[in-house]
Amino acid sequence: MFSPSPYAPRAHFKAIPMSKRSLTFVCQNCGAAYNRWQGKCEACGEWNSLAEEGAERPAGPGRKPGKGRLFQLQDLAGEATDAPRTASGIAELDRVTGGGFVKGSVLLLGGDPGIGKSTLLIQATAALARLGQRAVYISGEEAVAQVRLRAERLGLSEAAVELASETSVEDIIATLSEGKTPRLIVIDSIQTMWTDTVESAPGTVTQVRGAAQALIRFAKRSGAAIILVGHVTKDGQIAGPRVVEHMVDAVMSFEGEGSHQFRILRAVKNRFGPTDEIGVFEMTGEGLREVTNPSELFLSERDLGTPGTAVFAGMEGTRPLLVEIQALVAPSSLGTPRRSVVGWDSSRLSMVLAVLEAHCGVRLGGHDVYLNVAGGMRIQEPAADVAAAAALVSSLCDAPLPAQAVYFGEVSLSGAIRPVAQAGSRLKEAAKLGFTGAIVPESGRESGDQALKTQEIGSLTTLVAEIAANGRRKPAKSGGQDG
Ligand code: TYD
Ligand code: MG
């Protein structure tokens, strides 16, 4: 099946020809198959992840040549209709899906246990049911009574959601094929489902893949939209069914810090919509509440005038989002000082620290550095570099930053501050929330708002000098001392 191309990943050389695949060892992490047991999966590097699994019936290649059915090839130009969607009415959810659930599409929702996946989905099915659409919620983890109890707590008892506690995919498909096709079917979770066509134990990669395949086929055939819930492992991967990620139309992840009430829904893959939009929710006693103005929420508990905090004017998709970046720089007693970061990329932090050391004379080799994005938010944009650097220097020099100013800009390795996209929207959001100043890259556009004064800064050195000038402590010029 595979020609051993020198560019193919190594694991493919090991792949077993379909005809010989009677008993195989399948990596439970990535789905690679081997004909012998071994301690480490060569495809993904995971240890002890191989499990013996029964064979899947060989598909395509097993068929005799000459027996195929002829089909019509078509032109690229032709009638293309917009994907027919059903909006849930939960605006933050619809924003992430790209305007609603697409007919016949399958969406995988991943997230840590207890983050609120079941809560979100029971709310979504109830919202659809209230709009008069047929919505079905199938739980493989909880009994019907438990789901009802949750619905009662959420005040959704009277919504016409159809419930079941089932794990057999064949039974589910047979039942749902009867009567009017449901608009939305929730399967909570894909790891608990099993199909007769595969001989492995429930929860194994082969079962999960088999069950997902059957459900995807059903979705395409019937036109129902299906949401599969997937559990996430410690390191943030959707456990086992990473293979499923490739099969579905969209992958969303539901995130949040355990101690915070905010939950963020993010699209990781979306065949029918954007992948950079986020939906923000707040977990309350009555379920998930939509947060329509996240900036206000993320800035609501700000300590004004404390050194080490800077407000970053970020963008999440088409929506500007202001968040507070907090830094603590303290002399270290360790041989190798600590670098700890929550909500931002740690290699990005290392880079900013290196630029501060190399170009701005800020010595941090003897300091522990902690960086945190407030509210449990996770930032992916390089535009946060300047805000992070400002917070770090502010903490080091004990120099509070102006409380009414926002920061954005990308730091290059040369120490220059680079312009970033959508400066206008960032400034507009800052002005709307009452900020009066902005530290922006050179050629960052005018704010267009009289109330907001922009200050253009071309290099990190200038920014550091400006912050340090107001400091009660001078940055150490030689390693380790705090002078
Ligand atoms: P759940 O939706 O069961 O999480 P998941 O399906 O992702 O495992 O949510 C469980 C958590 O949410 C649980 O710790 C309690 C909390 N919760 C609330 O705070 N308020 C509520 O109204 C509900 C239903 C749950
Ligand atoms: Mg659940």
Side-chain angles (χ1 to χ4, degrees):
M1 202 176 80
F2 296 104
S3 59
S5 137
Y7 303 108
R10 275 205 66 195
H12 284 182
F13 298 136
K14 294 259 171 182
I16 308 149
M18 286 293 192
S19 55
K20 273 205 222 157
R21 232 191 232 184
S22 53
L23 238 191
T24 52
F25 295 88
V26 178
C27 172
Q28 300 301 301
N29 187 48
C30 71
Y34 302 86
N35 51 9
R36 267 182 298 118
W37 189 87
Q38 55 194 65
K40 184 181 180 186
C41 171
E42 281 167 27
C44 67
E46 190 77 8
W47 285 93
N48 238 342
S49 61
L50 261 54
E52 190 177 313
E53 291 192 9
E56 284 174 89
R57 223 167 341 114
R63 245 201 267 174
K64 294 252 160 27
K67 285 263 172 81
R69 177 180 57 86
L70 299 182
F71 59 87
Q72 184 88 47
L73 294 166
Q74 312 223 348
D75 289 338
L76 206 47
E79 211 181 317
T81 44
D82 226 7
R85 296 174 184 274
T86 313
S88 67
I90 301 176
E92 291 295 299
L93 178 61
D94 292 338
R95 169 193 287 278
V96 181
T97 54
F101 305 112
V102 175
K103 258 183 129 180
S105 73
V106 179
L107 191 156
L108 178 68
L109 177 71
D112 290 331
I115 203 77
K117 299 182 294 298
S118 304
T119 309
L120 176 68
L121 294 177
I122 195 82
Q123 287 183 258
T125 42
L128 272 190
R130 284 204 172 130
L131 296 173
Q133 312 277 12
R134 185 174 178 211
V136 181
Y137 185 96
I138 308 238
S139 179
E141 305 193 331
E142 293 165 297
V144 169
Q146 275 174 295
V147 181
R148 277 201 192 122
L149 213 62
R150 180 186 289 126
E152 202 171 302
R153 181 168 162 194
L154 303 175
L156 301 172
S157 302
E158 84 309 339
V161 176
E162 294 170 61
L163 276 189
S165 176
E166 268 303 329
T167 53
S168 159
V169 170
E170 279 74 29
D171 294 355
I172 292 172
I173 292 177
T175 310
L176 296 181
S177 303
E178 298 276 297
K180 193 173 155 230
T181 305
R183 260 308 146 84
L184 179 68
I185 303 166
V186 171
I187 304 285
D188 190 358
S189 64
I190 187 65
Q191 277 101 339
T192 56
M193 296 293 139
W194 62 277
T195 163
D196 302 336
T197 55
V198 178
E199 276 168 30
S200 313
T204 55
V205 169
T206 319
Q207 269 294 354
V208 166
R209 187 167 43 195
Q213 240 155 20
L215 289 165
I216 290 169
R217 263 198 309 270
F218 174 67
K220 304 285 174 227
R221 194 174 65 229
S222 66
I226 299 188
I227 302 182
L228 307 173
V229 174
H231 292 292
V232 159
T233 54
K234 288 177 261 70
D235 51 358
Q237 300 293 354
I238 295 183
R242 271 185 71 187
V243 271
V244 177
E245 292 188 22
H246 303 291
M247 297 157 59
V248 296
D249 299 302
V251 180
M252 318 251 141
S253 79
F254 204 33
E255 311 167 347
E257 292 293 321
S259 50
H260 292 289
Q261 298 308 303
F262 317 130
R263 300 283 183 269
I264 291 158
L265 185 68
R266 225 179 252 283
V268 182
K269 155 182 172 178
N270 197 347
R271 285 184 185 152
F272 302 111
T275 52
D276 50 3
E277 294 286 354
I278 62 165
V280 186
F281 297 89
E282 187 183 2
M283 183 59 100
T284 69
E286 287 85 45
L288 290 160
R289 196 176 61 78
E290 291 178 63
V291 176
T292 40
N293 192 346
S295 299
E296 248 165 41
L297 187 89
F298 286 117
L299 294 178
S300 61
E301 289 156 21
R302 212 143 66 89
D303 308 327
L304 292 172
T306 0
T309 65
V311 175
F312 166 53
M315 290 295 298
E316 289 289 344
T318 54
R319 178 160 62 172
L321 184 68
L322 267 49
V323 283
E324 186 182 71
I325 295 188
Q326 307 166 339
L328 179 64
V329 179
S332 177
S333 54
L334 303 168
T336 313
R338 248 171 197 286
R339 304 283 182 251
S340 168
V341 45
V342 178
W344 203 42
D345 190 7
S346 56
S347 52
R348 207 77 215 166
L349 172 65
S350 308
M351 195 206 87
V352 169
L353 292 178
V355 174
L356 284 172
E357 295 231 5
H359 297 292
C360 312
V362 180
R363 298 269 171 267
L364 292 159
H367 289 77
D368 288 334
V369 173
Y370 302 89
L371 194 87
N372 177 38
V373 178
M377 182 64 201
R378 190 161 57 82
I379 300 177
Q380 288 166 333
E381 275 189 292
D385 292 353
V386 168
L392 289 166
V393 177
S394 156
S395 172
L396 177 71
C397 303
D398 196 17
L401 299 172
Q404 291 311 318
V406 296
Y407 293 77
F408 63 85
E410 183 178 345
V411 172
S412 74
L413 287 176
S414 65
I417 295 180
R418 293 237 189 90
V420 295
Q422 290 166 293
S425 315
R426 297 172 201 265
L427 293 172
K428 216 157 118 197
E429 175 81 356
K432 199 170 95 191
L433 288 171
F435 285 84
T436 52
I439 315 299
V440 301
E442 270 172 5
S443 89
R445 242 178 305 142
E446 278 298 299
S447 72
D449 197 308
Q450 295 305 315
L452 189 82
K453 281 194 60 169
T454 53
Q455 184 192 351
E456 294 191 356
I457 292 194
S459 82
L460 201 55
T461 320
T462 322
L463 181 68
V464 170
E466 214 163 273
I467 297 171
N470 297 323
R472 290 178 279 233
R473 207 187 298 147
K474 291 288 163 238
K477 285 287 175 194
S478 58
Q481 278 153 39
D482 196 31

